[in-house]
Amino acid sequence: MHRALTSKRGAVNSLASLVVFSSFCRRGCEIRPFTAMSEELRPSKRIRLTDEPCIVAMQRMLRGKEGIMSLAQGIVHWAPPAAALEAARKAAEEPDTNSYGADDGLPKFREALKEKLKKENGLEGVEVMVTAGANQAYTNLVCTLLDEKDSAVLFRPFYFNHRMALQMTGGHANVVLAPSTKDYLPDVEWLEKRLSQANGERIRMVTIVNPGNPTGVILPKDLLERFSAACQRHQVWMVVDNTYEHFTYEEEGHAPHCCVSGDHVVNVFSFSKAFGMMGWRIGYLAFPPSLGPELMKVQDTIAICPAVASQKVAMAALESGRQWVKDHVTGLKENRRLVVAAVEETLGKGAVAGGSGAIYLMVKLPAGFENDTRVVEWLSEKHKVCAIPGSACGAPGELRLCYANLPSAQCSVAAERLKAGLAELQKNGPAVLEK
């Protein structure tokens, strides 16, 4: 879901993966003044009230810096399957690649996705729309399901692009940031109580990310079903982002990924992470057929159609099978172990959470380090390793770490740098950030 940064060839896994809030990033959602513009020529209020993209802020902060290793951006270190790359070469020579395709995706590809949804996700009777990544899929939904005064629920810690999509479509004041449990699971009891309250608020959409970004936590099936029942009972749309569906660790005793469906449920999926296709920008929606005509209005306006070449690559990737993905995901266990050890050996076992799904860990910084943005800047400057500040996800005083974006040998080096940085923070306290 995250856009890759452009960098020198030798720093693809450093600057290209680095995402943090710079000191120039906005705190909260205040309107930034436009002194050089007249009142009439200023950008819209809804865009000025939208959070600044943290990738853009990081690009500014890191210009000219090299050698930084990333545990930040949510990407994987592998390339697409060989068959997918061969499909890309063939697509370049095929005339239809240069034409517009069907708005909702190539028919053959959509049929393959429906078969995948039935076989792997247990979803039947749904329609499919192919999009330019899961971020566009989510934005399509926000435009389709919400009016400006409708409220939408995100659970802290949240995926920041979800909040940005809600903000820029005019719903800034109506984004309800809900709590999670101490185990970083979205709090279903809170939602049940909130939906039952007659306080004039109209919650129209609830977003769940499974497995979690940024939490790295898998949701058990009974919890998903309880969320679904609550949304259905109160006639609220339930949007489930399944971007990390393939990143599960059942062999370690964690729950498998599962989906729920219904006339009130829309599921979001992505090819970016599992198949190493971040730059090809392919995601898709599985939705009740009744939404089709309205979703098509948004799709035709924003994208017209997904890139034909990218769809051909994704179709070939899909044919490579789930086992291809599983083999790569299994290889991440050592990376996760290295990063967990770096945190636990410096901050203690209670400082790290997540790891039951997706590719992320959440780290609680020691007391006094509530300014996690400054911690991230300091780690990148002093120890040449980077992370995402928790404040970007509604969790100040924490870090989000990704353990999938470097091969194991490089991840080992990055973990050692992280360990050294955290040890220095623990030993010297907040004053170290002022040196």
mmCIF file of all heavy atoms in Angstrom, residues 156-205:
data_model
loop_
_atom_site.group_PDB
_atom_site.id
_atom_site.type_symbol
_atom_site.label_atom_id
_atom_site.label_comp_id
_atom_site.label_asym_id
_atom_site.label_seq_id
_atom_site.Cartn_x
_atom_site.Cartn_y
_atom_site.Cartn_z
ATOM 1 N N ARG A 156 -7.447 2.440 16.650
ATOM 2 C CA ARG A 156 -6.044 2.718 16.936
ATOM 3 C C ARG A 156 -5.317 1.435 17.334
ATOM 4 O O ARG A 156 -5.889 0.643 18.092
ATOM 5 C CB ARG A 156 -5.924 3.705 18.105
ATOM 6 C CG ARG A 156 -6.475 5.103 17.870
ATOM 7 C CD ARG A 156 -6.278 5.902 19.147
ATOM 8 N NE ARG A 156 -6.895 7.202 19.105
ATOM 9 C CZ ARG A 156 -6.249 8.342 18.787
ATOM 10 N NH1 ARG A 156 -4.974 8.281 18.469
ATOM 11 N NH2 ARG A 156 -6.865 9.501 18.791
ATOM 12 N N PRO A 157 -4.074 1.261 16.902
ATOM 13 C CA PRO A 157 -3.364 2.020 15.888
ATOM 14 C C PRO A 157 -3.949 1.726 14.499
ATOM 15 O O PRO A 157 -4.252 0.574 14.197
ATOM 16 C CB PRO A 157 -1.930 1.527 15.996
ATOM 17 C CG PRO A 157 -1.831 0.758 17.272
ATOM 18 C CD PRO A 157 -3.203 0.225 17.512
ATOM 19 N N PHE A 158 -4.066 2.754 13.673
ATOM 20 C CA PHE A 158 -4.696 2.617 12.369
ATOM 21 C C PHE A 158 -3.672 2.739 11.245
ATOM 22 O O PHE A 158 -2.542 3.213 11.449
ATOM 23 C CB PHE A 158 -5.789 3.673 12.189
ATOM 24 C CG PHE A 158 -5.311 5.078 12.481
ATOM 25 C CD1 PHE A 158 -4.575 5.803 11.556
ATOM 26 C CD2 PHE A 158 -5.597 5.670 13.703
ATOM 27 C CE1 PHE A 158 -4.134 7.085 11.826
ATOM 28 C CE2 PHE A 158 -5.155 6.966 13.991
ATOM 29 C CZ PHE A 158 -4.416 7.671 13.044
ATOM 30 N N TYR A 159 -4.095 2.308 10.056
ATOM 31 C CA TYR A 159 -3.268 2.506 8.857
ATOM 32 C C TYR A 159 -3.500 3.921 8.371
ATOM 33 O O TYR A 159 -4.624 4.318 8.070
ATOM 34 C CB TYR A 159 -3.643 1.481 7.786
ATOM 35 C CG TYR A 159 -2.981 1.717 6.454
ATOM 36 C CD1 TYR A 159 -1.613 1.957 6.357
ATOM 37 C CD2 TYR A 159 -3.732 1.695 5.281
ATOM 38 C CE1 TYR A 159 -1.017 2.179 5.138
ATOM 39 C CE2 TYR A 159 -3.134 1.899 4.054
ATOM 40 C CZ TYR A 159 -1.777 2.154 3.986
ATOM 41 O OH TYR A 159 -1.184 2.379 2.769
ATOM 42 N N PHE A 160 -2.432 4.720 8.289
ATOM 43 C CA PHE A 160 -2.589 6.161 8.091
ATOM 44 C C PHE A 160 -3.262 6.532 6.778
ATOM 45 O O PHE A 160 -3.986 7.526 6.703
ATOM 46 C CB PHE A 160 -1.242 6.886 8.219
ATOM 47 C CG PHE A 160 -0.094 6.221 7.532
ATOM 48 C CD1 PHE A 160 0.109 6.330 6.172
ATOM 49 C CD2 PHE A 160 0.813 5.470 8.280
ATOM 50 C CE1 PHE A 160 1.187 5.716 5.557
ATOM 51 C CE2 PHE A 160 1.892 4.852 7.668
ATOM 52 C CZ PHE A 160 2.081 4.964 6.294
ATOM 53 N N ASN A 161 -3.079 5.746 5.708
ATOM 54 C CA ASN A 161 -3.742 6.084 4.450
ATOM 55 C C ASN A 161 -5.253 5.893 4.524
ATOM 56 O O ASN A 161 -6.001 6.528 3.775
ATOM 57 C CB ASN A 161 -3.173 5.278 3.292
ATOM 58 C CG ASN A 161 -1.890 5.865 2.746
ATOM 59 O OD1 ASN A 161 -0.938 5.151 2.487
ATOM 60 N ND2 ASN A 161 -1.853 7.174 2.566
ATOM 61 N N HIS A 162 -5.715 5.039 5.427
ATOM 62 C CA HIS A 162 -7.157 4.925 5.631
ATOM 63 C C HIS A 162 -7.713 6.245 6.175
ATOM 64 O O HIS A 162 -8.730 6.752 5.707
ATOM 65 C CB HIS A 162 -7.479 3.787 6.600
ATOM 66 C CG HIS A 162 -7.350 2.423 5.991
ATOM 67 N ND1 HIS A 162 -7.353 1.269 6.747
ATOM 68 C CD2 HIS A 162 -7.218 2.022 4.694
ATOM 69 C CE1 HIS A 162 -7.234 0.218 5.937
ATOM 70 N NE2 HIS A 162 -7.149 0.661 4.698
ATOM 71 N N ARG A 163 -7.040 6.804 7.172
ATOM 72 C CA ARG A 163 -7.531 8.066 7.718
ATOM 73 C C ARG A 163 -7.442 9.178 6.668
ATOM 74 O O ARG A 163 -8.346 10.008 6.564
ATOM 75 C CB ARG A 163 -6.766 8.464 8.977
ATOM 76 C CG ARG A 163 -7.335 9.757 9.563
ATOM 77 C CD ARG A 163 -6.946 9.999 10.986
ATOM 78 N NE ARG A 163 -5.576 10.493 11.112
ATOM 79 C CZ ARG A 163 -5.104 11.071 12.227
ATOM 80 N NH1 ARG A 163 -5.891 11.209 13.280
ATOM 81 N NH2 ARG A 163 -3.865 11.477 12.298
ATOM 82 N N MET A 164 -6.378 9.188 5.886
ATOM 83 C CA MET A 164 -6.244 10.224 4.859
ATOM 84 C C MET A 164 -7.374 10.143 3.840
ATOM 85 O O MET A 164 -7.898 11.164 3.397
ATOM 86 C CB MET A 164 -4.885 10.094 4.168
ATOM 87 C CG MET A 164 -3.711 10.484 5.048
ATOM 88 S SD MET A 164 -2.126 10.211 4.217
ATOM 89 C CE MET A 164 -2.220 11.455 2.924
ATOM 90 N N ALA A 165 -7.760 8.930 3.451
ATOM 91 C CA ALA A 165 -8.862 8.778 2.493
ATOM 92 C C ALA A 165 -10.155 9.335 3.066
ATOM 93 O O ALA A 165 -10.933 9.991 2.352
ATOM 94 C CB ALA A 165 -9.038 7.300 2.120
ATOM 95 N N LEU A 166 -10.389 9.103 4.348
ATOM 96 C CA LEU A 166 -11.594 9.628 4.993
ATOM 97 C C LEU A 166 -11.533 11.147 5.115
ATOM 98 O O LEU A 166 -12.528 11.839 4.916
ATOM 99 C CB LEU A 166 -11.768 8.992 6.372
ATOM 100 C CG LEU A 166 -12.075 7.491 6.374
ATOM 101 C CD1 LEU A 166 -11.915 6.915 7.773
ATOM 102 C CD2 LEU A 166 -13.471 7.214 5.842
ATOM 103 N N GLN A 167 -10.362 11.666 5.420
ATOM 104 C CA GLN A 167 -10.211 13.107 5.585
ATOM 105 C C GLN A 167 -10.421 13.849 4.260
ATOM 106 O O GLN A 167 -11.150 14.839 4.193
ATOM 107 C CB GLN A 167 -8.818 13.435 6.132
ATOM 108 C CG GLN A 167 -8.606 13.016 7.578
ATOM 109 C CD GLN A 167 -7.162 13.146 7.987
ATOM 110 O OE1 GLN A 167 -6.244 13.028 7.169
ATOM 111 N NE2 GLN A 167 -6.928 13.384 9.271
ATOM 112 N N MET A 168 -9.777 13.383 3.208
ATOM 113 C CA MET A 168 -9.775 14.163 1.971
ATOM 114 C C MET A 168 -11.106 14.120 1.222
ATOM 115 O O MET A 168 -11.340 14.901 0.304
ATOM 116 C CB MET A 168 -8.643 13.711 1.046
ATOM 117 C CG MET A 168 -8.809 12.356 0.415
ATOM 118 S SD MET A 168 -7.470 11.971 -0.756
ATOM 119 C CE MET A 168 -6.014 12.158 0.248
ATOM 120 N N THR A 169 -11.976 13.201 1.615
ATOM 121 C CA THR A 169 -13.303 13.163 0.997
ATOM 122 C C THR A 169 -14.323 13.941 1.817
ATOM 123 O O THR A 169 -15.525 13.836 1.591
ATOM 124 C CB THR A 169 -13.770 11.708 0.809
ATOM 125 O OG1 THR A 169 -13.601 10.987 2.037
ATOM 126 C CG2 THR A 169 -12.984 11.018 -0.280
ATOM 127 N N GLY A 170 -13.839 14.706 2.791
ATOM 128 C CA GLY A 170 -14.708 15.617 3.512
ATOM 129 C C GLY A 170 -15.149 15.153 4.876
ATOM 130 O O GLY A 170 -15.891 15.851 5.559
ATOM 131 N N GLY A 171 -14.693 13.969 5.308
ATOM 132 C CA GLY A 171 -15.175 13.424 6.578
ATOM 133 C C GLY A 171 -14.234 13.600 7.738
ATOM 134 O O GLY A 171 -14.311 12.859 8.723
ATOM 135 N N HIS A 172 -13.337 14.591 7.656
ATOM 136 C CA HIS A 172 -12.322 14.768 8.698
ATOM 137 C C HIS A 172 -12.905 14.822 10.101
ATOM 138 O O HIS A 172 -12.441 14.148 11.024
ATOM 139 C CB HIS A 172 -11.519 16.044 8.428
ATOM 140 C CG HIS A 172 -10.820 16.573 9.640
ATOM 141 N ND1 HIS A 172 -11.335 17.580 10.421
ATOM 142 C CD2 HIS A 172 -9.669 16.199 10.231
ATOM 143 C CE1 HIS A 172 -10.521 17.801 11.434
ATOM 144 N NE2 HIS A 172 -9.503 16.991 11.343
ATOM 145 N N ALA A 173 -13.953 15.609 10.274
ATOM 146 C CA ALA A 173 -14.508 15.805 11.619
ATOM 147 C C ALA A 173 -15.268 14.588 12.122
ATOM 148 O O ALA A 173 -15.604 14.519 13.304
ATOM 149 C CB ALA A 173 -15.436 17.025 11.615
ATOM 150 N N ASN A 174 -15.512 13.613 11.252
ATOM 151 C CA ASN A 174 -16.346 12.473 11.617
ATOM 152 C C ASN A 174 -15.596 11.148 11.622
ATOM 153 O O ASN A 174 -16.209 10.089 11.562
ATOM 154 C CB ASN A 174 -17.542 12.395 10.665
ATOM 155 C CG ASN A 174 -18.364 13.668 10.667
ATOM 156 O OD1 ASN A 174 -18.779 14.132 11.715
ATOM 157 N ND2 ASN A 174 -18.564 14.241 9.499
ATOM 158 N N VAL A 175 -14.255 11.215 11.668
ATOM 159 C CA VAL A 175 -13.464 9.996 11.815
ATOM 160 C C VAL A 175 -13.425 9.651 13.295
ATOM 161 O O VAL A 175 -12.896 10.408 14.115
ATOM 162 C CB VAL A 175 -12.035 10.170 11.272
ATOM 163 C CG1 VAL A 175 -11.244 8.883 11.471
ATOM 164 C CG2 VAL A 175 -12.067 10.551 9.797
ATOM 165 N N VAL A 176 -14.007 8.520 13.650
ATOM 166 C CA VAL A 176 -14.058 8.080 15.042
ATOM 167 C C VAL A 176 -12.896 7.124 15.284
ATOM 168 O O VAL A 176 -12.829 6.045 14.676
ATOM 169 C CB VAL A 176 -15.396 7.373 15.350
ATOM 170 C CG1 VAL A 176 -15.427 6.922 16.808
ATOM 171 C CG2 VAL A 176 -16.573 8.288 15.036
ATOM 172 N N LEU A 177 -11.964 7.525 16.139
ATOM 173 C CA LEU A 177 -10.800 6.691 16.447
ATOM 174 C C LEU A 177 -11.113 5.842 17.678
ATOM 175 O O LEU A 177 -11.185 6.350 18.798
ATOM 176 C CB LEU A 177 -9.573 7.565 16.677
ATOM 177 C CG LEU A 177 -9.141 8.388 15.456
ATOM 178 C CD1 LEU A 177 -7.905 9.224 15.785
ATOM 179 C CD2 LEU A 177 -8.878 7.487 14.250
ATOM 180 N N ALA A 178 -11.304 4.570 17.433
ATOM 181 C CA ALA A 178 -11.739 3.643 18.478
ATOM 182 C C ALA A 178 -10.535 2.963 19.123
ATOM 183 O O ALA A 178 -9.457 2.878 18.530
ATOM 184 C CB ALA A 178 -12.676 2.596 17.878
ATOM 185 N N PRO A 179 -10.703 2.440 20.340
ATOM 186 C CA PRO A 179 -9.587 1.786 21.028
ATOM 187 C C PRO A 179 -9.392 0.346 20.591
ATOM 188 O O PRO A 179 -10.285 -0.288 20.021
ATOM 189 C CB PRO A 179 -10.021 1.843 22.493
ATOM 190 C CG PRO A 179 -11.518 1.764 22.432
ATOM 191 C CD PRO A 179 -11.913 2.532 21.195
ATOM 192 N N SER A 180 -8.204 -0.151 20.869
ATOM 193 C CA SER A 180 -7.915 -1.575 20.749
ATOM 194 C C SER A 180 -7.640 -2.123 22.139
ATOM 195 O O SER A 180 -7.421 -1.363 23.088
ATOM 196 C CB SER A 180 -6.706 -1.812 19.836
ATOM 197 O OG SER A 180 -7.016 -1.466 18.503
ATOM 198 N N THR A 181 -7.645 -3.428 22.270
ATOM 199 C CA THR A 181 -7.363 -4.053 23.561
ATOM 200 C C THR A 181 -5.858 -4.006 23.833
ATOM 201 O O THR A 181 -5.062 -3.607 22.989
ATOM 202 C CB THR A 181 -7.831 -5.510 23.562
ATOM 203 O OG1 THR A 181 -7.004 -6.269 22.655
ATOM 204 C CG2 THR A 181 -9.286 -5.612 23.117
ATOM 205 N N LYS A 182 -5.468 -4.459 25.013
ATOM 206 C CA LYS A 182 -4.043 -4.490 25.355
ATOM 207 C C LYS A 182 -3.275 -5.434 24.439
ATOM 208 O O LYS A 182 -2.050 -5.333 24.322
ATOM 209 C CB LYS A 182 -3.856 -4.896 26.816
ATOM 210 C CG LYS A 182 -4.374 -6.277 27.173
ATOM 211 C CD LYS A 182 -4.173 -6.569 28.655
ATOM 212 C CE LYS A 182 -4.720 -7.941 29.048
ATOM 213 N NZ LYS A 182 -4.073 -9.052 28.331
ATOM 214 N N ASP A 183 -3.981 -6.340 23.774
ATOM 215 C CA ASP A 183 -3.355 -7.266 22.829
ATOM 216 C C ASP A 183 -3.400 -6.744 21.396
ATOM 217 O O ASP A 183 -3.118 -7.483 20.451
ATOM 218 C CB ASP A 183 -4.043 -8.634 22.890
ATOM 219 C CG ASP A 183 -3.921 -9.279 24.252
ATOM 220 O OD1 ASP A 183 -2.821 -9.200 24.841
ATOM 221 O OD2 ASP A 183 -4.911 -9.836 24.748
ATOM 222 N N TYR A 184 -3.771 -5.483 21.235
ATOM 223 C CA TYR A 184 -3.831 -4.821 19.927
ATOM 224 C C TYR A 184 -4.910 -5.396 19.007
ATOM 225 O O TYR A 184 -4.816 -5.278 17.791
ATOM 226 C CB TYR A 184 -2.467 -4.851 19.220
ATOM 227 C CG TYR A 184 -1.445 -3.933 19.859
ATOM 228 C CD1 TYR A 184 -0.614 -4.392 20.876
ATOM 229 C CD2 TYR A 184 -1.317 -2.621 19.452
ATOM 230 C CE1 TYR A 184 0.322 -3.564 21.466
ATOM 231 C CE2 TYR A 184 -0.391 -1.771 20.034
ATOM 232 C CZ TYR A 184 0.424 -2.251 21.047
ATOM 233 O OH TYR A 184 1.339 -1.414 21.631
ATOM 234 N N LEU A 185 -5.934 -5.976 19.587
ATOM 235 C CA LEU A 185 -7.096 -6.385 18.805
ATOM 236 C C LEU A 185 -8.128 -5.265 18.845
ATOM 237 O O LEU A 185 -8.329 -4.643 19.899
ATOM 238 C CB LEU A 185 -7.710 -7.662 19.382
ATOM 239 C CG LEU A 185 -6.892 -8.939 19.224
ATOM 240 C CD1 LEU A 185 -7.479 -10.051 20.091
ATOM 241 C CD2 LEU A 185 -6.848 -9.375 17.762
ATOM 242 N N PRO A 186 -8.792 -4.958 17.735
ATOM 243 C CA PRO A 186 -9.839 -3.937 17.768
ATOM 244 C C PRO A 186 -10.904 -4.311 18.792
ATOM 245 O O PRO A 186 -11.324 -5.466 18.880
ATOM 246 C CB PRO A 186 -10.378 -3.925 16.339
ATOM 247 C CG PRO A 186 -9.942 -5.223 15.728
ATOM 248 C CD PRO A 186 -8.664 -5.587 16.403
ATOM 249 N N ASP A 187 -11.351 -3.327 19.546
ATOM 250 C CA ASP A 187 -12.226 -3.567 20.703
ATOM 251 C C ASP A 187 -13.679 -3.706 20.246
ATOM 252 O O ASP A 187 -14.377 -2.719 20.043
ATOM 253 C CB ASP A 187 -12.078 -2.415 21.687
ATOM 254 C CG ASP A 187 -12.728 -2.703 23.028
ATOM 255 O OD1 ASP A 187 -13.642 -3.552 23.076
ATOM 256 O OD2 ASP A 187 -12.341 -2.082 24.034
ATOM 257 N N VAL A 188 -14.149 -4.936 20.131
ATOM 258 C CA VAL A 188 -15.500 -5.184 19.643
ATOM 259 C C VAL A 188 -16.549 -4.774 20.670
ATOM 260 O O VAL A 188 -17.654 -4.328 20.306
ATOM 261 C CB VAL A 188 -15.677 -6.654 19.223
ATOM 262 C CG1 VAL A 188 -15.637 -7.584 20.428
ATOM 263 C CG2 VAL A 188 -16.970 -6.847 18.441
ATOM 264 N N GLU A 189 -16.237 -4.888 21.949
ATOM 265 C CA GLU A 189 -17.193 -4.466 22.971
ATOM 266 C C GLU A 189 -17.435 -2.959 22.885
ATOM 267 O O GLU A 189 -18.573 -2.497 23.047
ATOM 268 C CB GLU A 189 -16.685 -4.858 24.357
ATOM 269 C CG GLU A 189 -16.710 -6.356 24.616
ATOM 270 C CD GLU A 189 -16.361 -6.691 26.059
ATOM 271 O OE1 GLU A 189 -16.237 -5.739 26.886
ATOM 272 O OE2 GLU A 189 -16.218 -7.884 26.365
ATOM 273 N N TRP A 190 -16.389 -2.204 22.659
ATOM 274 C CA TRP A 190 -16.550 -0.756 22.486
ATOM 275 C C TRP A 190 -17.488 -0.469 21.316
ATOM 276 O O TRP A 190 -18.381 0.374 21.426
ATOM 277 C CB TRP A 190 -15.187 -0.100 22.228
ATOM 278 C CG TRP A 190 -15.279 1.370 21.963
ATOM 279 C CD1 TRP A 190 -15.178 2.377 22.874
ATOM 280 C CD2 TRP A 190 -15.551 1.993 20.700
ATOM 281 N NE1 TRP A 190 -15.351 3.594 22.254
ATOM 282 C CE2 TRP A 190 -15.581 3.388 20.926
ATOM 283 C CE3 TRP A 190 -15.754 1.520 19.405
ATOM 284 C CZ2 TRP A 190 -15.812 4.310 19.909
ATOM 285 C CZ3 TRP A 190 -15.995 2.430 18.389
ATOM 286 C CH2 TRP A 190 -16.024 3.811 18.642
ATOM 287 N N LEU A 191 -17.286 -1.182 20.184
ATOM 288 C CA LEU A 191 -18.110 -0.929 19.008
ATOM 289 C C LEU A 191 -19.568 -1.283 19.277
ATOM 290 O O LEU A 191 -20.481 -0.530 18.906
ATOM 291 C CB LEU A 191 -17.597 -1.728 17.806
ATOM 292 C CG LEU A 191 -18.359 -1.474 16.505
ATOM 293 C CD1 LEU A 191 -18.132 -0.054 16.014
ATOM 294 C CD2 LEU A 191 -17.990 -2.482 15.432
ATOM 295 N N GLU A 192 -19.805 -2.419 19.910
ATOM 296 C CA GLU A 192 -21.183 -2.821 20.197
ATOM 297 C C GLU A 192 -21.899 -1.766 21.042
ATOM 298 O O GLU A 192 -23.063 -1.426 20.789
ATOM 299 C CB GLU A 192 -21.176 -4.176 20.906
ATOM 300 C CG GLU A 192 -20.766 -5.330 19.993
ATOM 301 C CD GLU A 192 -20.500 -6.623 20.746
ATOM 302 O OE1 GLU A 192 -20.217 -6.557 21.973
ATOM 303 O OE2 GLU A 192 -20.578 -7.695 20.123
ATOM 304 N N LYS A 193 -21.201 -1.236 22.036
ATOM 305 C CA LYS A 193 -21.808 -0.208 22.891
ATOM 306 C C LYS A 193 -22.027 1.087 22.123
ATOM 307 O O LYS A 193 -23.072 1.731 22.246
ATOM 308 C CB LYS A 193 -20.921 0.034 24.111
ATOM 309 C CG LYS A 193 -20.871 -1.128 25.082
ATOM 310 C CD LYS A 193 -19.919 -0.838 26.237
ATOM 311 C CE LYS A 193 -19.841 -2.034 27.189
ATOM 312 N NZ LYS A 193 -18.872 -1.783 28.296
ATOM 313 N N ARG A 194 -21.037 1.476 21.321
ATOM 314 C CA ARG A 194 -21.134 2.745 20.596
ATOM 315 C C ARG A 194 -22.268 2.705 19.580
ATOM 316 O O ARG A 194 -23.030 3.672 19.426
ATOM 317 C CB ARG A 194 -19.808 3.048 19.898
ATOM 318 C CG ARG A 194 -19.729 4.404 19.212
ATOM 319 C CD ARG A 194 -19.811 5.554 20.222
ATOM 320 N NE ARG A 194 -19.510 6.830 19.596
ATOM 321 C CZ ARG A 194 -18.352 7.452 19.685
ATOM 322 N NH1 ARG A 194 -17.373 6.929 20.406
ATOM 323 N NH2 ARG A 194 -18.152 8.613 19.086
ATOM 324 N N LEU A 195 -22.420 1.586 18.875
ATOM 325 C CA LEU A 195 -23.486 1.490 17.874
ATOM 326 C C LEU A 195 -24.866 1.472 18.525
ATOM 327 O O LEU A 195 -25.862 1.827 17.887
ATOM 328 C CB LEU A 195 -23.293 0.229 17.027
ATOM 329 C CG LEU A 195 -22.085 0.208 16.092
ATOM 330 C CD1 LEU A 195 -22.014 -1.113 15.333
ATOM 331 C CD2 LEU A 195 -22.100 1.380 15.116
ATOM 332 N N SER A 196 -24.923 1.064 19.789
ATOM 333 C CA SER A 196 -26.211 0.998 20.492
ATOM 334 C C SER A 196 -26.634 2.329 21.091
ATOM 335 O O SER A 196 -27.785 2.484 21.520
ATOM 336 C CB SER A 196 -26.146 -0.049 21.614
ATOM 337 O OG SER A 196 -25.889 -1.332 21.076
ATOM 338 N N GLN A 197 -25.720 3.294 21.125
ATOM 339 C CA GLN A 197 -26.029 4.580 21.730
ATOM 340 C C GLN A 197 -26.853 5.445 20.778
ATOM 341 O O GLN A 197 -26.553 5.541 19.592
ATOM 342 C CB GLN A 197 -24.740 5.318 22.095
ATOM 343 C CG GLN A 197 -23.949 4.661 23.208
ATOM 344 C CD GLN A 197 -22.601 5.318 23.429
ATOM 345 O OE1 GLN A 197 -22.200 6.207 22.682
ATOM 346 N NE2 GLN A 197 -21.910 4.888 24.467
ATOM 347 N N ALA A 198 -27.856 6.083 21.302
ATOM 348 C CA ALA A 198 -28.694 6.988 20.509
ATOM 349 C C ALA A 198 -28.259 8.420 20.788
ATOM 350 O O ALA A 198 -28.909 9.171 21.518
ATOM 351 C CB ALA A 198 -30.159 6.794 20.847
ATOM 352 N N ASN A 199 -27.111 8.801 20.235
ATOM 353 C CA ASN A 199 -26.565 10.137 20.515
ATOM 354 C C ASN A 199 -26.568 11.040 19.287
ATOM 355 O O ASN A 199 -25.900 12.072 19.263
ATOM 356 C CB ASN A 199 -25.137 10.016 21.056
ATOM 357 C CG ASN A 199 -24.204 9.293 20.094
ATOM 358 O OD1 ASN A 199 -24.598 8.931 18.985
ATOM 359 N ND2 ASN A 199 -22.972 9.080 20.520
ATOM 360 N N GLY A 200 -27.313 10.660 18.268
ATOM 361 C CA GLY A 200 -27.390 11.477 17.069
ATOM 362 C C GLY A 200 -26.283 11.228 16.069
ATOM 363 O O GLY A 200 -26.335 11.698 14.931
ATOM 364 N N GLU A 201 -25.268 10.477 16.475
ATOM 365 C CA GLU A 201 -24.161 10.155 15.574
ATOM 366 C C GLU A 201 -24.596 9.079 14.582
ATOM 367 O O GLU A 201 -25.280 8.127 14.942
ATOM 368 C CB GLU A 201 -22.987 9.658 16.411
ATOM 369 C CG GLU A 201 -21.769 9.227 15.616
ATOM 370 C CD GLU A 201 -20.701 8.656 16.539
ATOM 371 O OE1 GLU A 201 -21.012 7.700 17.291
ATOM 372 O OE2 GLU A 201 -19.584 9.163 16.531
ATOM 373 N N ARG A 202 -24.200 9.227 13.336
ATOM 374 C CA ARG A 202 -24.538 8.219 12.328
ATOM 375 C C ARG A 202 -23.281 7.546 11.820
ATOM 376 O O ARG A 202 -22.639 8.013 10.886
ATOM 377 C CB ARG A 202 -25.304 8.861 11.160
ATOM 378 C CG ARG A 202 -25.710 7.852 10.074
ATOM 379 C CD ARG A 202 -26.689 6.821 10.631
ATOM 380 N NE ARG A 202 -27.168 5.924 9.582
ATOM 381 C CZ ARG A 202 -26.817 4.637 9.477
ATOM 382 N NH1 ARG A 202 -25.963 4.105 10.327
ATOM 383 N NH2 ARG A 202 -27.321 3.875 8.517
ATOM 384 N N ILE A 203 -22.889 6.460 12.479
ATOM 385 C CA ILE A 203 -21.750 5.672 11.997
ATOM 386 C C ILE A 203 -22.212 4.847 10.809
ATOM 387 O O ILE A 203 -23.152 4.061 10.907
ATOM 388 C CB ILE A 203 -21.195 4.768 13.115
ATOM 389 C CG1 ILE A 203 -20.554 5.617 14.212
ATOM 390 C CG2 ILE A 203 -20.174 3.779 12.548
ATOM 391 C CD1 ILE A 203 -20.062 4.830 15.399
ATOM 392 N N ARG A 204 -21.543 5.036 9.688
ATOM 393 C CA ARG A 204 -21.938 4.355 8.457
ATOM 394 C C ARG A 204 -20.935 3.289 8.026
ATOM 395 O O ARG A 204 -21.270 2.430 7.212
ATOM 396 C CB ARG A 204 -22.079 5.377 7.328
ATOM 397 C CG ARG A 204 -23.253 6.315 7.474
ATOM 398 C CD ARG A 204 -24.515 5.707 6.930
ATOM 399 N NE ARG A 204 -24.440 5.511 5.480
ATOM 400 C CZ ARG A 204 -25.326 4.854 4.759
ATOM 401 N NH1 ARG A 204 -26.355 4.288 5.351
ATOM 402 N NH2 ARG A 204 -25.190 4.733 3.459
ATOM 403 N N MET A 205 -19.690 3.349 8.545
ATOM 404 C CA MET A 205 -18.671 2.415 8.069
ATOM 405 C C MET A 205 -17.682 2.115 9.185
ATOM 406 O O MET A 205 -17.262 3.006 9.915
ATOM 407 C CB MET A 205 -17.937 3.002 6.858
ATOM 408 C CG MET A 205 -16.996 2.029 6.168
ATOM 409 S SD MET A 205 -16.324 2.731 4.624
ATOM 410 C CE MET A 205 -14.808 3.455 5.237
#
